[in-house]
Amino acid sequence: MEIFDIIFRSMLSLVTLFFVTKMLGKKQVSQLSLFDYVIGISIGNFAAEATIDLTNGYLHGIVPVFVFGIVAYLVSVLTMKSIALRRFFIGTPTVLIQDGKILEKGLRKVKFDINDLLEVVRGAGYFDVSEISYAIMEANGDVSFLPKGEYKNVTIKDMKLKAEKQGLCVNAIIDGKIMPNNLKAINKDEKWITKEVKRLGYDTLDNIILATVDVNNKVVVFEKNKDTLPIEVLE
């Protein structure tokens, strides 16, 4: 009977989607980049057709799901190894507010108007834009905020203390590679960051997954730790 065929196709699609999603990892489920979004809706469309289009065989719907899933998996592997591919497929963050100033170029880049920005600002709990020092749209579309020093929770202003200088941390080294453009933005160069990480005990960059420089020129290094197992989170 047709109803039993639909039920069987539905279960087959569900099982296929489950295994493909497990292969892609939690990123596909939680925070989607533009590429992840395109892959996700395509896979969903293929699974839906495999379920309700009884004129085609099972493989006509299942094979495209696996093909798109494998492509997405390969892209995720490549973007972990290449910064250039990571920027192409996933994108880069866009600064919307810098040093308390709204950047029109940033808004145009993400297709935001001022009302869109204000809506996101209010959604984050800021009803006065002047309290924000930086606003950055991440590659997945979320907007992160850095409030001005005197407006941080348990505020320095309330405690009548002098506010510390605020600013963004620059990513100076990513995956063992120096980011010259980022260093140039803070008037530093490769020689300077190499000297700083050596002073911290790192003679080579190979073991550094990330090194940041804050507004006070403090360098913080994060080491690669492939052998460290993550803590299991019980729900």
Side-chain angles (χ1 to χ4, degrees):
M1 293 179 63
E2 186 175 292
I3 185 65
F4 291 110
D5 193 16
I6 294 176
I7 292 174
F8 178 77
R9 287 170 177 265
S10 299
M11 295 303 297
L12 184 61
S13 297
L14 179 62
V15 171
T16 303
L17 284 175
F18 175 77
F19 282 109
V20 170
T21 305
K22 288 280 287 183
M23 178 182 68
L24 296 180
K26 292 183 179 180
K27 181 181 177 182
Q28 181 72 18
V29 181
S30 56
Q31 299 176 335
L32 300 179
S33 65
L34 180 60
F35 179 78
D36 294 327
Y37 177 75
V38 172
I39 289 292
I41 60 175
S42 299
I43 288 177
N45 182 57
F46 293 141
E49 286 188 3
T51 301
I52 62 177
D53 189 354
L54 303 182
T55 61
N56 289 324
Y58 300 128
L59 293 180
H60 284 79
I62 301 304
V63 171
V65 172
F66 275 110
V67 170
F68 270 60
I70 291 171
V71 169
Y73 175 77
L74 292 176
V75 168
S76 68
V77 172
L78 291 173
T79 53
M80 285 190 291
K81 297 180 178 295
S82 170
I83 294 175
L85 289 176
R86 191 181 309 163
R87 290 173 175 170
F88 178 78
F89 283 104
I90 299 177
T92 57
T94 302
V95 179
L96 306 180
I97 299 176
Q98 180 173 298
D99 288 329
K101 299 178 182 178
I102 297 175
L103 302 184
E104 293 182 62
K105 288 184 178 180
L107 294 179
R108 286 197 296 269
K109 184 176 179 180
V110 300
K111 305 299 186 294
F112 257 33
D113 58 35
I114 190 64
N115 290 327
D116 294 326
L117 177 63
L118 293 175
E119 181 179 348
V120 173
V121 168
R122 289 192 297 270
Y126 298 98
F127 287 82
D128 186 351
V129 182
S130 66
E131 296 180 3
I132 299 172
S133 181
Y134 285 87
I136 300 176
M137 177 173 282
E138 308 295 349
N140 64 355
D142 290 340
V143 181
S144 304
F145 295 93
L146 175 66
K148 293 180 179 178
E150 61 268 29
Y151 293 107
K152 284 190 173 181
N153 286 335
V154 182
T155 64
I156 296 175
K157 183 178 182 180
D158 291 339
M159 298 174 67
K160 297 182 179 180
L161 297 175
K162 183 180 178 180
E164 294 182 358
K165 187 178 180 181
Q166 295 292 304
L168 291 178
C169 283
V170 169
N171 298 323
I173 299 173
I174 298 177
D175 290 338
K177 297 181 177 64
I178 295 176
M179 303 287 103
N181 291 336
N182 292 353
L183 289 171
K184 186 177 179 181
I186 58 172
N187 298 317
K188 302 296 181 184
D189 55 23
E190 296 184 27
K191 184 178 179 180
W192 179 84
I193 189 61
T194 302
K195 180 181 177 181
E196 288 298 306
V197 295
K198 281 186 176 181
R199 184 175 60 83
L200 294 174
Y202 299 91
D203 294 325
T204 176
L205 306 182
D206 294 340
N207 293 326
I208 299 176
I209 190 172
L210 176 67
T212 63
V213 184
D214 68 12
V215 70
N216 298 309
N217 292 329
K218 179 182 177 182
V219 178
V220 178
V221 174
F222 299 86
E223 296 181 5
K224 294 181 179 179
N225 50 6
K226 295 181 180 179
D227 297 329
T228 302
L229 297 176
I231 298 173
E232 290 289 340
V233 179
L234 302 178
E235 296 181 355

